[in-house]
Amino acid sequence: MSLESELFAWLHDRLPPDPKLTVGLGDDGAVLPRSHGADTVITTDMLNDGVDFLLAEVEPQVVGHKALAVNLSDLAAMAARPVSAFVSLVLPRGGSPPQSPLELAIGLYTGMLPLAARFNISIAGGDTNSWDGPLALSLTAVGHTTEGGPLTRCGAQAGDQLLVTGRLGGSILGRHLQVEPRIEEALLLNERYSLHAGIDISDGLALDASRLVQASGVGAFIDTSQVPLAPAAEQLSQRDGRSAVEHALSDGEDFELLLAVPARVAEQILADQPLQVPVTRIGEIVADPGLWQVGSGAVPIPLEPCGYEHQGDKS
Ligand SMILES: [Mg+2]
């Protein structure tokens, strides 16, 4: 049996026919049912051994979880409810000794399936190849908009407040692998409140904030004294001497949500604190393009959009 048919047989045992799919795994293409008025949101993300993770240092399950989770984080950023995912693997021909290519593929799926089950996502298709290069995974996630419509990067307006979920910085100490996509949080906020714009923080608060304001044709003040710091940002700071705030601004892989919301709505969200994680005000949208940091009463100074820049951009 070929690698692909062995993997399919393994998957078939774990993914029984999915009533949510008109046609699922095993045909030439997937058929997704009509979405009854919702728009379809599609996002894709590729992860490569040596760039996004080191297979020599992490379990394939962890890589599989992360690959699906980062795609779901992009759906969260669009306030879309996940529906299905498509998984394409390019496996190193020799596997990841002592694991064979099949064992490696199974390890990756073993990390993805619990997350897919948690968010009720169908694994609806994909492709599996092997080659002489390192492991590469390309995932595509499909979601539906809900009543609040899609949340985009481009709706921020002067006077909006910048809110962030959770705490930032130091993700390299573990959170970069145990990614928790903020799906439920994004859906709840987008359904209950009027949000203007949003993005997920994948490459660093400063860099992703600069992407949001650029897309909206505005600028932002960020009050660095208000940025919620993860304990890991403090830990890293003690190790390397860079401040915890610097880590929060530029480390990336926080996979939290950065939102621009009208001032009155921001007040309401901050008072309600409707999520399991804190929501914090960290700044304000201004008409002039650019990104500035303000501390406690200091004159605003330009804030470098520092963070993790991929070779070739991604969303
Ligand atoms: Mg993103």
Side-chain angles (χ1 to χ4, degrees):
M1 244 195 324
S2 71
L3 171 65
E4 189 155 35
S5 39
E6 280 185 87
L7 182 61
F8 178 73
W10 182 88
L11 271 174
H12 190 72
D13 290 343
R14 280 151 192 85
L15 295 171
D18 188 335
K20 299 195 299 303
L21 293 173
T22 310
V23 177
L25 281 180
D27 214 309
D28 293 296
V31 181
L32 308 182
R34 258 178 267 252
S35 59
H36 303 294
D39 288 326
T40 302
V41 179
I42 301 174
T43 180
T44 188
D45 209 339
M46 188 155 61
L47 276 80
N48 298 293
D49 186 12
V51 180
D52 301 286
F53 58 88
L54 294 171
L55 193 55
E57 294 177 10
V58 290
E59 293 294 319
Q61 290 89 321
V62 174
V63 175
H65 169 92
K66 179 172 179 176
L68 181 54
V70 299
N71 275 276
L72 297 186
S73 181
D74 277 330
L75 286 185
M78 303 296 293
R81 184 183 296 287
V83 173
S84 55
F86 296 79
V87 179
S88 291
L89 306 177
V90 191
L91 301 160
R93 227 183 283 281
S96 174
Q99 293 183 308
S100 70
L102 177 65
E103 287 165 336
L104 175 56
I106 286 174
L108 295 167
Y109 271 103
T110 302
M112 286 178 222
L113 295 185
L115 192 60
R118 234 175 80 198
F119 289 105
N120 200 20
I121 303 165
S122 313
I123 305 282
D127 198 7
T128 306
N129 288 334
S130 57
W131 72 329
D132 290 325
L135 171 65
L137 308 84
S138 174
L139 270 73
T140 299
V142 177
H144 286 158
T145 56
T146 60
E147 255 175 54
L151 183 64
T152 67
R153 297 179 180 187
C154 58
Q157 297 172 18
D160 282 355
Q161 303 297 297
L162 272 177
L163 304 183
V164 71
T165 61
R167 297 185 175 84
L168 309 179
S171 64
I172 193 75
L173 296 187
R175 282 184 356 267
H176 70 307
L177 296 174
Q178 287 124 30
V179 178
E180 273 295 320
R182 297 297 185 204
I183 293 283
E184 295 305 337
E185 291 80 358
L187 292 176
L188 184 150
L189 290 174
N190 195 48
E191 278 167 15
R192 200 176 291 178
Y193 306 95
S194 156
L195 312 177
H196 277 170
I199 189 169
D200 64 323
I201 303 174
S202 53
D203 298 330
L205 171 62
L207 187 53
D208 287 315
S210 78
R211 288 171 175 155
L212 185 143
V213 294
Q214 232 169 8
S216 295
V218 292
F221 283 179
I222 294 198
D223 184 345
T224 49
S225 69
Q226 296 302 310
V227 173
L229 303 173
E234 311 272 8
Q235 283 170 29
L236 263 193
S237 168
Q238 282 165 11
R239 282 195 213 167
D240 67 9
R242 290 176 62 216
S243 74
V245 170
E246 277 176 71
H247 280 291
L249 287 170
S250 63
D251 282 355
E253 300 216 292
D254 299 295
F255 298 104
E256 294 293 349
L257 301 168
L258 176 66
L259 304 166
V261 303
R264 260 194 300 170
V265 178
E267 262 176 55
Q268 195 62 55
I269 295 174
L270 293 169
D272 293 348
Q273 288 295 333
L275 308 181
Q276 304 272 331
V277 292
V279 182
T280 310
R281 178 195 174 278
I282 58 160
E284 183 170 336
I285 299 292
V286 294
D288 285 340
L291 205 56
W292 290 271
Q293 57 174 314
V294 289
S296 40
V299 178
I301 52 170
L303 175 59
E304 276 301 306
C306 49
Y308 184 73
E309 292 268 25
H310 293 254
Q311 295 168 319
D313 201 10
K314 69 185 256 285
S315 58

